[in-house]
Amino acid sequence: MRFGGVTAVNDLTLHVNKGQIVALIGPNGAGKTTAFNVVTGVYTPTSGKILFNGKDITALKPHKITQLGIARTFQNIRLFKELTVMENVLIAKHLHLKHGLFSTALHLPWARKEEKEMRIECEELLAKVGLIDLKEEVASSLPYGQQRHLEIARALATNPKLLLLDEPAAGMNPQETSELTHFIKNIKNEFDMTVFMIEHHMDLVMEISDAIYVLDFGELIAQGTPDQIQQNEKVIAAYLGVEEDA
């Protein structure tokens, strides 16, 4: 992915297999979020392809990619702050509505039935992620950690097969990070979810990842299991630097 004369991501090849939690890590400015933006259709790559379940999704718009089963969160929480927890999740659920605006405006029977079913599904989702008791709370009133959980729940409401998390632990204290670690594990198991995440909190990454890819200056410098990555000299150098020769 190039922006003018700047190559943000160069010759990146990676695989996220069904049922895995895969992490993309690297120093600030390594190209991680750019890679996410390419996968989700925010950017069209300068060259190369994005394949999802064997289908080329490279030129698709973000909403089409979401409909195919890829959902994401953002480093900066993007909730509808003045809406309730339930309303935030309902908005995402509307992606799969079968009836149109006309039917909804006229309160036609099939539209009312679908809306009722949708609300039940959202309540079931909130129960699974531990937010059901907060469903009528305004999103902005929630503690930071629960706002992050809600953002992830809203992504789950689109019925994804692949969930992309962009620095989900950003801004969290150790207790919140620990709770998030368990939360991601639970949703992976509860929803049979495949997770692809960017994260700087290495304790979280090393505890839950099946595979890790490491970017530095837009280049893939390492890939492997958590144990392999922790011992990789290129990764250590990228994060800690190396002494210059005298």
PDB file of all heavy atoms in Angstrom, residues 129-148:
ATOM      1  N   VAL A 129     -22.256 -11.609  26.351  1.00  0.00           N
ATOM      2  CA  VAL A 129     -21.037 -10.823  26.584  1.00  0.00           C
ATOM      3  C   VAL A 129     -21.080 -10.083  27.920  1.00  0.00           C
ATOM      4  O   VAL A 129     -20.207  -9.263  28.216  1.00  0.00           O
ATOM      5  CB  VAL A 129     -20.791  -9.812  25.440  1.00  0.00           C
ATOM      6  CG1 VAL A 129     -20.620 -10.545  24.124  1.00  0.00           C
ATOM      7  CG2 VAL A 129     -21.918  -8.782  25.346  1.00  0.00           C
ATOM      8  N   GLY A 130     -22.093 -10.379  28.742  1.00  0.00           N
ATOM      9  CA  GLY A 130     -22.133  -9.827  30.088  1.00  0.00           C
ATOM     10  C   GLY A 130     -22.584  -8.387  30.196  1.00  0.00           C
ATOM     11  O   GLY A 130     -22.289  -7.715  31.184  1.00  0.00           O
ATOM     12  N   LEU A 131     -23.334  -7.897  29.192  1.00  0.00           N
ATOM     13  CA  LEU A 131     -23.769  -6.500  29.210  1.00  0.00           C
ATOM     14  C   LEU A 131     -25.291  -6.346  29.316  1.00  0.00           C
ATOM     15  O   LEU A 131     -25.795  -5.236  29.233  1.00  0.00           O
ATOM     16  CB  LEU A 131     -23.283  -5.779  27.947  1.00  0.00           C
ATOM     17  CG  LEU A 131     -21.763  -5.598  27.793  1.00  0.00           C
ATOM     18  CD1 LEU A 131     -21.442  -5.007  26.423  1.00  0.00           C
ATOM     19  CD2 LEU A 131     -21.208  -4.712  28.899  1.00  0.00           C
ATOM     20  N   ILE A 132     -26.003  -7.450  29.512  1.00  0.00           N
ATOM     21  CA  ILE A 132     -27.462  -7.393  29.473  1.00  0.00           C
ATOM     22  C   ILE A 132     -28.029  -6.491  30.563  1.00  0.00           C
ATOM     23  O   ILE A 132     -29.024  -5.785  30.352  1.00  0.00           O
ATOM     24  CB  ILE A 132     -28.077  -8.813  29.572  1.00  0.00           C
ATOM     25  CG1 ILE A 132     -29.593  -8.772  29.331  1.00  0.00           C
ATOM     26  CG2 ILE A 132     -27.732  -9.471  30.900  1.00  0.00           C
ATOM     27  CD1 ILE A 132     -29.983  -8.309  27.959  1.00  0.00           C
ATOM     28  N   ASP A 133     -27.407  -6.447  31.731  1.00  0.00           N
ATOM     29  CA  ASP A 133     -27.919  -5.611  32.825  1.00  0.00           C
ATOM     30  C   ASP A 133     -27.720  -4.129  32.550  1.00  0.00           C
ATOM     31  O   ASP A 133     -28.261  -3.282  33.272  1.00  0.00           O
ATOM     32  CB  ASP A 133     -27.248  -5.982  34.145  1.00  0.00           C
ATOM     33  CG  ASP A 133     -27.641  -7.377  34.621  1.00  0.00           C
ATOM     34  OD1 ASP A 133     -28.700  -7.872  34.181  1.00  0.00           O
ATOM     35  OD2 ASP A 133     -26.890  -7.971  35.420  1.00  0.00           O
ATOM     36  N   LEU A 134     -26.929  -3.804  31.528  1.00  0.00           N
ATOM     37  CA  LEU A 134     -26.628  -2.408  31.202  1.00  0.00           C
ATOM     38  C   LEU A 134     -27.324  -1.964  29.919  1.00  0.00           C
ATOM     39  O   LEU A 134     -27.019  -0.899  29.390  1.00  0.00           O
ATOM     40  CB  LEU A 134     -25.111  -2.226  31.039  1.00  0.00           C
ATOM     41  CG  LEU A 134     -24.253  -2.605  32.241  1.00  0.00           C
ATOM     42  CD1 LEU A 134     -22.775  -2.579  31.847  1.00  0.00           C
ATOM     43  CD2 LEU A 134     -24.510  -1.672  33.408  1.00  0.00           C
ATOM     44  N   LYS A 135     -28.270  -2.750  29.429  1.00  0.00           N
ATOM     45  CA  LYS A 135     -28.806  -2.515  28.085  1.00  0.00           C
ATOM     46  C   LYS A 135     -29.476  -1.154  27.934  1.00  0.00           C
ATOM     47  O   LYS A 135     -29.499  -0.594  26.836  1.00  0.00           O
ATOM     48  CB  LYS A 135     -29.768  -3.633  27.676  1.00  0.00           C
ATOM     49  CG  LYS A 135     -31.073  -3.672  28.466  1.00  0.00           C
ATOM     50  CD  LYS A 135     -31.968  -4.786  27.928  1.00  0.00           C
ATOM     51  CE  LYS A 135     -33.320  -4.789  28.655  1.00  0.00           C
ATOM     52  NZ  LYS A 135     -34.219  -5.841  28.112  1.00  0.00           N
ATOM     53  N   GLU A 136     -30.016  -0.590  29.009  1.00  0.00           N
ATOM     54  CA  GLU A 136     -30.681   0.713  28.915  1.00  0.00           C
ATOM     55  C   GLU A 136     -29.774   1.859  29.344  1.00  0.00           C
ATOM     56  O   GLU A 136     -30.207   3.016  29.369  1.00  0.00           O
ATOM     57  CB  GLU A 136     -31.960   0.711  29.763  1.00  0.00           C
ATOM     58  CG  GLU A 136     -32.994  -0.320  29.336  1.00  0.00           C
ATOM     59  CD  GLU A 136     -33.404  -0.202  27.873  1.00  0.00           C
ATOM     60  OE1 GLU A 136     -33.368   0.925  27.326  1.00  0.00           O
ATOM     61  OE2 GLU A 136     -33.744  -1.238  27.264  1.00  0.00           O
ATOM     62  N   GLU A 137     -28.524   1.554  29.666  1.00  0.00           N
ATOM     63  CA  GLU A 137     -27.568   2.599  30.039  1.00  0.00           C
ATOM     64  C   GLU A 137     -27.075   3.322  28.786  1.00  0.00           C
ATOM     65  O   GLU A 137     -26.879   2.702  27.729  1.00  0.00           O
ATOM     66  CB  GLU A 137     -26.372   1.997  30.778  1.00  0.00           C
ATOM     67  CG  GLU A 137     -26.719   1.355  32.113  1.00  0.00           C
ATOM     68  CD  GLU A 137     -27.101   2.381  33.155  1.00  0.00           C
ATOM     69  OE1 GLU A 137     -26.571   3.508  33.112  1.00  0.00           O
ATOM     70  OE2 GLU A 137     -27.939   2.044  34.015  1.00  0.00           O
ATOM     71  N   VAL A 138     -26.858   4.628  28.907  1.00  0.00           N
ATOM     72  CA  VAL A 138     -26.292   5.396  27.802  1.00  0.00           C
ATOM     73  C   VAL A 138     -24.815   5.014  27.670  1.00  0.00           C
ATOM     74  O   VAL A 138     -24.100   4.884  28.671  1.00  0.00           O
ATOM     75  CB  VAL A 138     -26.436   6.913  28.058  1.00  0.00           C
ATOM     76  CG1 VAL A 138     -25.727   7.719  26.974  1.00  0.00           C
ATOM     77  CG2 VAL A 138     -27.904   7.279  28.121  1.00  0.00           C
ATOM     78  N   ALA A 139     -24.358   4.815  26.434  1.00  0.00           N
ATOM     79  CA  ALA A 139     -22.997   4.303  26.201  1.00  0.00           C
ATOM     80  C   ALA A 139     -21.926   5.169  26.862  1.00  0.00           C
ATOM     81  O   ALA A 139     -20.952   4.656  27.416  1.00  0.00           O
ATOM     82  CB  ALA A 139     -22.743   4.205  24.704  1.00  0.00           C
ATOM     83  N   SER A 140     -22.099   6.482  26.826  1.00  0.00           N
ATOM     84  CA  SER A 140     -21.082   7.375  27.383  1.00  0.00           C
ATOM     85  C   SER A 140     -20.959   7.264  28.891  1.00  0.00           C
ATOM     86  O   SER A 140     -19.952   7.703  29.471  1.00  0.00           O
ATOM     87  CB  SER A 140     -21.385   8.825  27.004  1.00  0.00           C
ATOM     88  OG  SER A 140     -22.646   9.227  27.509  1.00  0.00           O
ATOM     89  N   SER A 141     -21.954   6.682  29.548  1.00  0.00           N
ATOM     90  CA  SER A 141     -21.921   6.563  31.003  1.00  0.00           C
ATOM     91  C   SER A 141     -21.151   5.332  31.471  1.00  0.00           C
ATOM     92  O   SER A 141     -20.875   5.185  32.664  1.00  0.00           O
ATOM     93  CB  SER A 141     -23.343   6.519  31.568  1.00  0.00           C
ATOM     94  OG  SER A 141     -23.985   5.286  31.248  1.00  0.00           O
ATOM     95  N   LEU A 142     -20.806   4.445  30.545  1.00  0.00           N
ATOM     96  CA  LEU A 142     -20.105   3.214  30.916  1.00  0.00           C
ATOM     97  C   LEU A 142     -18.636   3.483  31.209  1.00  0.00           C
ATOM     98  O   LEU A 142     -18.023   4.369  30.599  1.00  0.00           O
ATOM     99  CB  LEU A 142     -20.203   2.186  29.785  1.00  0.00           C
ATOM    100  CG  LEU A 142     -21.584   1.712  29.344  1.00  0.00           C
ATOM    101  CD1 LEU A 142     -21.444   0.687  28.230  1.00  0.00           C
ATOM    102  CD2 LEU A 142     -22.367   1.141  30.510  1.00  0.00           C
ATOM    103  N   PRO A 143     -18.042   2.714  32.131  1.00  0.00           N
ATOM    104  CA  PRO A 143     -16.588   2.788  32.307  1.00  0.00           C
ATOM    105  C   PRO A 143     -15.873   2.434  31.004  1.00  0.00           C
ATOM    106  O   PRO A 143     -16.438   1.740  30.147  1.00  0.00           O
ATOM    107  CB  PRO A 143     -16.312   1.740  33.392  1.00  0.00           C
ATOM    108  CG  PRO A 143     -17.613   1.527  34.077  1.00  0.00           C
ATOM    109  CD  PRO A 143     -18.680   1.761  33.044  1.00  0.00           C
ATOM    110  N   TYR A 144     -14.633   2.889  30.882  1.00  0.00           N
ATOM    111  CA  TYR A 144     -13.893   2.727  29.632  1.00  0.00           C
ATOM    112  C   TYR A 144     -13.843   1.267  29.180  1.00  0.00           C
ATOM    113  O   TYR A 144     -14.080   0.965  28.001  1.00  0.00           O
ATOM    114  CB  TYR A 144     -12.478   3.279  29.798  1.00  0.00           C
ATOM    115  CG  TYR A 144     -11.661   3.227  28.536  1.00  0.00           C
ATOM    116  CD1 TYR A 144     -11.772   4.217  27.569  1.00  0.00           C
ATOM    117  CD2 TYR A 144     -10.771   2.185  28.298  1.00  0.00           C
ATOM    118  CE1 TYR A 144     -11.029   4.175  26.401  1.00  0.00           C
ATOM    119  CE2 TYR A 144     -10.015   2.129  27.129  1.00  0.00           C
ATOM    120  CZ  TYR A 144     -10.152   3.127  26.194  1.00  0.00           C
ATOM    121  OH  TYR A 144      -9.410   3.071  25.034  1.00  0.00           O
ATOM    122  N   GLY A 145     -13.536   0.362  30.086  1.00  0.00           N
ATOM    123  CA  GLY A 145     -13.419  -1.041  29.713  1.00  0.00           C
ATOM    124  C   GLY A 145     -14.717  -1.607  29.167  1.00  0.00           C
ATOM    125  O   GLY A 145     -14.716  -2.373  28.200  1.00  0.00           O
ATOM    126  N   GLN A 146     -15.844  -1.219  29.775  1.00  0.00           N
ATOM    127  CA  GLN A 146     -17.137  -1.706  29.295  1.00  0.00           C
ATOM    128  C   GLN A 146     -17.522  -1.070  27.969  1.00  0.00           C
ATOM    129  O   GLN A 146     -18.215  -1.692  27.155  1.00  0.00           O
ATOM    130  CB  GLN A 146     -18.208  -1.442  30.355  1.00  0.00           C
ATOM    131  CG  GLN A 146     -18.095  -2.363  31.567  1.00  0.00           C
ATOM    132  CD  GLN A 146     -19.201  -2.143  32.566  1.00  0.00           C
ATOM    133  OE1 GLN A 146     -19.729  -1.038  32.708  1.00  0.00           O
ATOM    134  NE2 GLN A 146     -19.565  -3.193  33.285  1.00  0.00           N
ATOM    135  N   GLN A 147     -17.066   0.164  27.725  1.00  0.00           N
ATOM    136  CA  GLN A 147     -17.296   0.759  26.405  1.00  0.00           C
ATOM    137  C   GLN A 147     -16.592  -0.054  25.328  1.00  0.00           C
ATOM    138  O   GLN A 147     -17.128  -0.263  24.239  1.00  0.00           O
ATOM    139  CB  GLN A 147     -16.804   2.211  26.386  1.00  0.00           C
ATOM    140  CG  GLN A 147     -17.669   3.173  27.164  1.00  0.00           C
ATOM    141  CD  GLN A 147     -17.303   4.625  26.915  1.00  0.00           C
ATOM    142  OE1 GLN A 147     -16.848   4.992  25.830  1.00  0.00           O
ATOM    143  NE2 GLN A 147     -17.496   5.462  27.922  1.00  0.00           N
ATOM    144  N   ARG A 148     -15.386  -0.517  25.632  1.00  0.00           N
ATOM    145  CA  ARG A 148     -14.658  -1.355  24.669  1.00  0.00           C
ATOM    146  C   ARG A 148     -15.399  -2.666  24.449  1.00  0.00           C
ATOM    147  O   ARG A 148     -15.513  -3.143  23.315  1.00  0.00           O
ATOM    148  CB  ARG A 148     -13.235  -1.615  25.171  1.00  0.00           C
ATOM    149  CG  ARG A 148     -12.391  -2.428  24.211  1.00  0.00           C
ATOM    150  CD  ARG A 148     -12.113  -1.669  22.914  1.00  0.00           C
ATOM    151  NE  ARG A 148     -11.077  -0.665  23.102  1.00  0.00           N
ATOM    152  CZ  ARG A 148     -10.680   0.176  22.152  1.00  0.00           C
ATOM    153  NH1 ARG A 148     -11.252   0.150  20.965  1.00  0.00           N
ATOM    154  NH2 ARG A 148      -9.739   1.065  22.384  1.00  0.00           N
TER     155      ARG A 148
END
